[in-house]
């Protein structure tokens, strides 16, 4: 099952296993959006952009190996896949690259340009992209960006310019509860939800994945957050580990300042 | 004997491999071998780029026995890419990994190590520490209690010149170069451009106070002997300050 989030952009989601360790952490600190009858999940998203040509952004994790092939076949039918973009060669994002290229041998593998360690990741035969590069899919227009807030160095962010959709990979991850799969942010949380509660959910993710916020200069991070908003001004945000955001994307980005501040003050909550 | 392992302490050795960078410099992508009471433990798997060499060198270093367990600092291809191949070669030996969801990392059979905890592996005790210098969430540093070697994953790397593959800090008369430390960390741990250097350096120094080391053993650099650690840390501190001051938000 997939969902079209904007013209030609298909959202494929692997909900992932129940994360009991995260659930326990939420109960311990009394997170207002969680109770013990629910299960918590860290989703893994992939996005298929279809115009005259098609492009897949990330591959799901090894647990989603059959799923990604089925979804691609169902959306593409007998059309080819033209590009496979690996945001960064982290197993949950890129682990099905070889299988997808076996199924779609004509697809061009696309990888971040820097640093030049591609042979350590089986990315030596890739098209290298970085800041300012475009791919015209005939309809959709893909632009590549610096991965501003990231884990692995070999990373790239992407946008689709005709719809204003930004794909910020690990940034803006947001844990889901059972039943919240493949739902937009405004379907997961009421737009009236107070900022504190949204920050708390974002915190649970970033205090694991972006543990380094604890060592960051908070004011510099806030300035960079403003810069991302100004430079990329997304209308839709499609992160790799949370719901797609189609309403008030600026609000969620602004809330990340509070997330950085909180991780900085508390330290990490765990790993992912 | 070609490419001998470098002995750090009596039962910990370094199998140094290097990857050539486009600018003519090299980056170590290594593994370490720990001789435990019940067999040989490999720290990380090395890269598939060096697979054939590593197979041969590990076989030689273990007198043909191969490895009995592997501890991964994190599941990133240059660190974990040889797991399936080495398990086919040397049997389904135990894999210890720090990720919270090993199956999503492609390691469904791994035993979980927990940051802040310790585990007995083949009769030897290892502590798993929260790494201040890392990129991936689930990275852990691995402290071998018996030898006091700190395996530091992606932290404490350097770039090196041709001919220096296999050099430890003791082979550099003037100490490891600050430029090599700076350039590696700037390129590899990208978030350092946002770092508050004092916070990071305090965390690192507190970790070494709590866990005195004989060696710091990076995967991407030259092992740093205890007597050279202060020198390295001073150069690292200046490097981190330079990376953070060198980046302005614009
Ligand atoms: Fe991720
Ligand atoms: Fe690494």
């Amino acid at each position: 099952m997939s969902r079209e989030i904007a013209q030609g952009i298909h959202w494929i989601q692997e909900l992932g296993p129940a994360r009991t360790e995260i659930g326990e952490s939420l109960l311990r600190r009394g997170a207002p959006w969680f109770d013990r009858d629910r299960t918590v999940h860290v989703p893994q998203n992939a996005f298929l952009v279809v115009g005259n040509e098609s492009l897949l952004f990330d591959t799901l994790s090894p647990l989603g190996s059959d799923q990604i092939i089925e979804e691609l076949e169902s959306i593409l039918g007998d059309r080819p896949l033209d590009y496979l973009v690996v945001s960064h060669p982290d197993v949950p994002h890129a682990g099905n690259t070889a299988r997808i290229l076996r199924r779609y041998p004509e697809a061009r593998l696309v990888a971040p340009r820097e640093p030049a360690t591609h042979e350590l990741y089986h990315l030596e035969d890739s098209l290298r992209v970085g800041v300012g590069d475009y791919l015209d899919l005939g309809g959709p227009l893909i632009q590549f960006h610096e991965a501003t807030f990231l884990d692995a160095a070999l990373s790239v962010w992407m946008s689709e310019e005709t719809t204003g959709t930004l794909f910020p990979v690990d940034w803006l991850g947001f844990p889901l509860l059972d039943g919240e799969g493949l739902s937009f942010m405004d379907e997961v949380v009421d737009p009236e939800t107070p900022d504190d509660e949204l920050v708390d959910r974002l915190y649970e993710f970033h205090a694991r994945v972006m543990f380094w916020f604890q060592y960051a200069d908070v004011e510099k991070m806030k300035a960079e957050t403003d810069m991302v908003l100004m430079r990329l001004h997304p209308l839709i945000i499609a992160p790799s580990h949370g719901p797609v955001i189609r309403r008030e994307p600026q609000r969620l980005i602004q809330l990340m300042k509070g997330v950085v501040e909180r991780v900085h003050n508390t330290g990490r909550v765990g790993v992912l | 004997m070609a490419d001998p392992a470098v002995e750090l302490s009596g039962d910990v050795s370094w199998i140094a491999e290097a990857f050539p960078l486009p600018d003519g410099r090299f980056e170590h992508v290594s593994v370490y071998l720990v001789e435990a009471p019940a067999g040989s433990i490999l720290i990380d798997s090395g890269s598939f780029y060096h697979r054939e060499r590593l197979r041969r060198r590990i076989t030689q270093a273990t007198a043909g026995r191969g490895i009995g367990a592997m501890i991964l600092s994190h599941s990133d291809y240059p660190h974990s890419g040889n797991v399936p191949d080495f398990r086919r070669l040397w049997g389904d030996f135990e894999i210890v990994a720090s990720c919270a969801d090993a199956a999503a990392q492609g390691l469904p059979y791994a035993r979980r190590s927990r940051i802040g905890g310790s585990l007995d592996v083949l009769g030897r005790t290892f502590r798993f520490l929260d790494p201040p210098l890392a990129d991936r969430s689930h990275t852990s540093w691995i402290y071998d209690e018996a030898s006091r070697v700190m395996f530091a994953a992606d932290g404490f790397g350097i770039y090196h010149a041709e001919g220096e593959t296999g050099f430890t800090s003791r082979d550099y008369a003037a100490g490891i170069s600050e430029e090599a430390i700076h350039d590696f960390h700037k390129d590899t741990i990208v978030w350092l451009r946002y770092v508050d250097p004092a916070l990071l350096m305090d965390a690192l120094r507190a970790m070494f106070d709590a866990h005195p080391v004989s060696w710091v053993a990076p995967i991407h650099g030259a092992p740093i002997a205890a007597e050279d650690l202060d020198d390295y840390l001073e150069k690292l501190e200046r490097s981190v300050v330079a990376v953070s001051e060198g980046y302005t938000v614009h």
Side-chain angles (χ1 to χ4, degrees), chain A residues 84-267:
Chain A
L84 168 54
V85 180
V86 168
S87 68
H88 64 309
D90 190 26
V91 179
H93 291 259
N96 297 310
T97 299
R99 183 164 174 199
I100 293 168
L101 292 177
R102 276 199 303 277
R103 171 63 184 80
Y104 294 99
E106 66 289 346
R108 188 76 210 268
L109 182 61
V110 181
R113 183 178 296 128
E114 307 281 352
T117 51
H118 299 82
E119 283 167 285
L120 299 177
Y121 294 97
H122 286 324
L123 292 172
E124 55 271 27
D125 296 326
S126 58
L127 175 69
R128 315 283 162 85
V129 294
V131 180
D133 288 336
Y134 286 90
L135 269 180
D136 188 344
L137 300 180
L141 180 62
I142 300 297
Q143 186 177 1
F144 294 95
H145 307 280
E146 171 196 85
T148 304
F149 304 117
L150 75 175
D151 55 15
L154 192 68
S155 292
V156 72
W157 286 4
M158 181 182 104
S159 63
E160 196 291 302
E161 289 295 295
T162 66
T163 57
T165 305
L166 174 68
F167 302 85
V169 190
D170 284 334
W171 197 49
L172 287 161
F174 193 90
L176 297 181
L177 304 182
D178 51 289
E180 293 177 342
L182 220 54
S183 306
F184 285 99
M185 183 66 90
D186 56 88
E187 298 166 337
V188 172
V189 290
D190 193 274
E192 303 298 308
T193 304
D195 286 353
D196 284 357
E197 190 174 319
L198 294 178
V199 167
D200 195 82
R201 273 226 214 188
L202 292 162
Y203 166 81
E204 187 64 33
F205 179 84
H206 294 86
R208 295 170 183 273
V209 170
M210 299 201 181
F211 67 93
W212 55 265
F213 286 179
Q214 69 189 301
Y215 304 116
D217 174 333
V218 173
E219 291 313 310
K220 197 171 188 180
M221 289 289 290
K222 288 181 177 175
E224 189 74 293
T225 304
D226 284 332
M227 199 52 65
V228 165
L229 193 50
M230 207 177 81
R231 206 171 56 229
L232 304 177
H233 51 79
L235 303 176
I236 300 172
I237 303 174
S240 295
H241 300 292
V244 171
I245 302 158
R246 60 181 173 182
R247 295 215 181 120
E248 298 187 292
Q250 317 81 341
R251 179 185 178 204
L252 270 293
I253 289 180
Q254 289 292 354
L255 290 179
M256 282 305 298
K257 295 178 182 174
V259 175
V260 170
E261 196 146 34
R262 189 158 158 204
V263 178
H264 184 267
N265 293 338
T266 65

Side-chain angles (χ1 to χ4, degrees), chain B residues 8 16 90:
Chain B
L8 297 187
W90 289 308

Side-chain angles (χ1 to χ4, degrees), chain B residues 63-90:
Chain B
R65 291 185 307 275
I67 53 184
M70 187 189 293
I71 306 177
L72 293 174
S73 62
H74 60 310
S75 63
D76 179 31
Y77 292 113
H79 299 256
S80 61
N82 289 321
V83 167
D85 184 73
F86 287 179
R87 285 183 112 224
R88 273 194 297 277
L89 183 63
W90 289 308

Side-chain angles (χ1 to χ4, degrees), chain A residues 66-78:
Chain A
D66 291 339
Q67 185 191 346
I68 190 68
I69 298 292
E70 285 161 19
E71 306 276 19
L72 288 174
E73 289 177 346
S74 144
I75 300 165
L76 291 170
D78 46 22

